[in-house]
Amino acid sequence: MSDAVTHRAGQVHEFRGLRTADHVFTVPLRPAEPEGETLEVFAREYGPAGLSDEQRNELPWLLFFQGGPGFPGNRWTSLSGWAKAATEHFRVLMLDQRGTGLSSPVEAKTLAARGDAAAQAEYLSHFRHDSIVADAEAIRTALGIDRWSIFGQSFGGWCSLAYLSLAPAALREVLITGGLAPLHGSPDRVYRATYSRMEARNREYFAWYPEDRVLVNRIAAHLREVPEFLPRGERLTVERFQMLGMYLGGNTRVDSLHYLLEKAFIQTPEGERLSDWFLAQLPAYLDFAANPLYAAIHESIYAQEAATDWSSWRVLQEFPQFSPDAEDVLLTGEMIQPWLFDQDPSLRPLKEVAELIAAKQDWPRVFDRDVLTTNTVPVAAAVYADDVFVDRELSLETASSVRGLKSWVTPDFHHDGIADDGEAIFRRLLAMARSGDGPAA
């Protein structure tokens, strides 16, 4: 272990049958410069309460990579869902990926201390999956773990594939849900696929709730004519309203979107307006104050040895049906567009930084296809057939490039499957990874 990597054990708590133990690590900001600037990375260990030290130490470790980029690890308050299944077999380490949660968090206020926009962009270039894997390796060594299992959800799948490429000898088995990243090619092909899937998902949603087809058009027409303002004072635009398509990435969240929209309008002495209740709900999906890192580096996770050049925005021009001026307005989703750095007050200070990141050409190649095609680590992945964020066909292309990967293609879940029935999904993937037969159908 490098002298730059240190480990400090934190507080231990037990409640409702759950035991948590905090860990703080000091790791290099730039993994290639172990003696240079450092970051603090936080992780929380979860397991059942009541075990002796000997019983706990006999359990193997499982590291969880959260979705994102830019989101912290889950804060569990009980052992339910996939947590219940995982802690029957493992000591689970929940990582706050660098820049999130308690791991040297990135906010506009903290980035300002880095210097000018160029210095801030250079700093953020070290917050992708290759750097997160380097942190994981430093943590594994610091904890004295020989090999461990990993579980990656969404962007966590990017981290898992990067780990398989960069340090496969550290891994016992790999589980992935909704996160088989494309191994090569331009991000343009990703967005062409996901815009098509998002259009289909819109049609499906409006077929279930035809009254919402009318209502979405009505809200869009209203926003074109009447100024409505979000809680922090900025005007709500049609294109920002369209971002509510984030709801379409889940099963139950589709119904939640319906319940949100049904309370959009209220009658006032000045006429029909959007209700304060409705406007107060929108920042949860339309505001990046809590996670600016997601917006700043989201497209860069697709970049290998080339600039993204605002791929999602360029490709959007091929899909006029998503125009905010369309007769039947469609909802978009997680695509990050350059105008967002003008419209979201929390992102305005990062506008020049985001432009530099979009123009960056020299992103390293993270996924090593030669290593993956000779992989010997057991890998099982859930591929959601109608996932609007991670395309099925691109996922299966990746699956075919990882030797021994067993894929389970299912139409029963969407991108948030582990929130829907995480216990069953985790158990199935673990059994697949540990079975000796061929790939699952």
Side-chain angles (χ1 to χ4, degrees):
M1 182 175 66
S2 166
D3 292 340
V5 179
T6 64
H7 169 230
R8 184 176 76 253
Q11 296 295 319
V12 176
H13 298 284
E14 292 193 359
F15 51 93
R16 288 186 293 280
L18 173 66
R19 178 186 182 272
T20 69
D22 296 349
H23 300 270
V24 180
F25 305 87
T26 301
V27 301
L29 167 64
R30 300 169 182 85
E33 300 175 13
E35 306 307 322
E37 184 179 354
T38 61
L39 296 174
E40 208 169 67
V41 172
F42 175 84
R44 179 166 284 137
E45 176 188 346
Y46 289 94
L51 297 183
S52 67
D53 290 344
E54 182 180 6
Q55 290 172 314
R56 190 163 43 253
N57 291 334
E58 287 178 351
L59 289 171
W61 287 85
L62 174 78
L63 175 68
F64 180 64
F65 288 119
Q66 170 70 300
F71 292 95
N74 304 137
R75 265 56 179 174
W76 289 341
T77 56
S78 64
L79 293 179
S80 60
W82 78 264
K84 177 182 178 183
T87 53
E88 291 174 3
H89 301 274
F90 299 100
R91 298 172 73 171
V92 176
L93 193 66
M94 183 72 66
L95 179 67
D96 278 354
Q97 298 166 11
R98 54 169 56 196
T100 75
L102 299 177
S103 295
S104 300
V106 167
E107 295 185 1
K109 290 178 286 190
T110 64
L111 278 176
R114 304 297 307 182
D116 62 12
Q120 293 178 43
E122 193 281 331
Y123 180 70
L124 292 184
S125 71
H126 302 290
F127 285 77
R128 298 197 316 159
H129 32 307
D130 49 345
S131 298
I132 293 167
V133 168
D135 293 343
E137 270 297 271
I139 290 169
R140 182 185 65 83
T141 303
L143 292 176
I145 300 168
D146 179 30
R147 291 188 302 154
W148 56 6
S149 303
I150 61 174
F151 177 25
Q153 155 66 13
S154 188
F155 172 67
W158 270 243
C159 297
S160 300
L161 289 169
Y163 215 146
L164 272 175
S165 294
L166 300 171
L171 304 177
R172 290 184 180 274
E173 58 207 349
V174 177
L175 312 181
I176 296 173
T177 51
L180 287 180
L183 301 180
H184 63 91
S186 165
D188 290 11
R189 68 185 190 129
V190 173
Y191 288 111
R192 287 190 182 99
T194 51
Y195 277 125
S196 294
R197 290 209 180 275
M198 182 59 78
E199 180 179 8
R201 184 65 164 162
N202 270 264
R203 305 300 181 202
E204 186 176 41
Y205 166 59
F206 291 131
W208 290 333
Y209 291 108
E211 65 270 37
D212 289 5
R213 171 66 285 170
V214 175
L215 189 52
V216 166
N217 284 345
R218 185 174 152 208
I219 293 171
H222 176 82
L223 291 174
R224 295 184 194 110
E225 300 296 329
V226 180
E228 296 281 6
F229 298 92
L230 293 170
R232 287 192 299 162
E234 75 271 28
R235 184 170 179 173
L236 175 60
T237 62
V238 176
E239 57 266 34
R240 204 150 169 217
F241 165 67
Q242 287 175 279
M243 290 175 65
L244 286 178
M246 290 289 284
Y247 275 95
L248 301 183
N251 275 339
T252 59
R253 287 192 297 164
V254 170
D255 306 302
S256 296
L257 176 58
H258 169 70
Y259 296 144
L260 172 68
L261 294 177
E262 72 180 1
K263 295 182 67 176
F265 284 106
I266 193 170
Q267 289 294 331
T268 75
E270 292 77 32
E272 189 173 64
R273 299 296 299 269
L274 294 182
S275 71
D276 288 343
W277 179 91
F278 176 74
L279 293 168
Q281 309 308 308
L282 299 188
Y285 279 90
L286 310 185
D287 187 315
F288 288 89
N291 53 335
L293 185 60
Y294 177 93
I297 71 169
H298 184 265
E299 274 199 1
S300 77
I301 69 173
Y302 298 107
Q304 298 194 86
E305 301 177 323
T308 63
D309 191 26
W310 293 114
S311 175
S312 64
W313 176 245
R314 288 185 293 98
V315 173
L316 179 61
Q317 312 317 308
E318 302 172 18
F319 292 84
Q321 59 269 44
F322 282 97
S323 167
D325 298 319
E327 182 178 355
D328 284 326
V329 171
L330 298 180
L331 304 176
T332 52
E334 70 172 9
M335 293 78 168
I336 300 298
Q337 316 288 8
W339 52 258
L340 190 57
F341 292 83
D342 292 313
Q343 294 191 18
D344 186 335
S346 62
L347 295 180
R348 286 173 192 154
L350 303 182
K351 181 177 180 178
E352 187 178 354
V353 176
E355 293 287 353
L356 291 171
I357 291 173
K360 180 178 169 64
Q361 297 275 357
D362 57 345
W363 294 107
R365 178 163 293 279
V366 178
F367 305 124
D368 189 324
R369 296 171 72 189
D370 290 335
V371 172
L372 294 175
T373 57
T374 58
N375 170 63
T376 59
V377 179
V379 186
V383 176
Y384 304 129
D386 302 307
D387 195 329
V388 296
F389 301 142
V390 180
D391 179 68
R392 176 187 63 218
E393 298 307 321
L394 294 178
S395 295
L396 293 177
E397 175 188 275
T398 294
S400 69
S401 300
V402 181
R403 182 175 178 269
L405 186 150
K406 300 173 183 176
S407 57
W408 166 38
V409 182
T410 173
D412 296 335
F413 303 100
H414 277 263
H415 195 68
D416 65 346
I418 61 169
D420 200 354
D421 192 358
E423 182 178 355
I425 291 171
F426 185 89
R427 291 188 192 282
R428 177 161 182 163
L429 290 180
L430 186 62
M432 287 168 56
R434 293 182 172 181
S435 66
D437 53 9

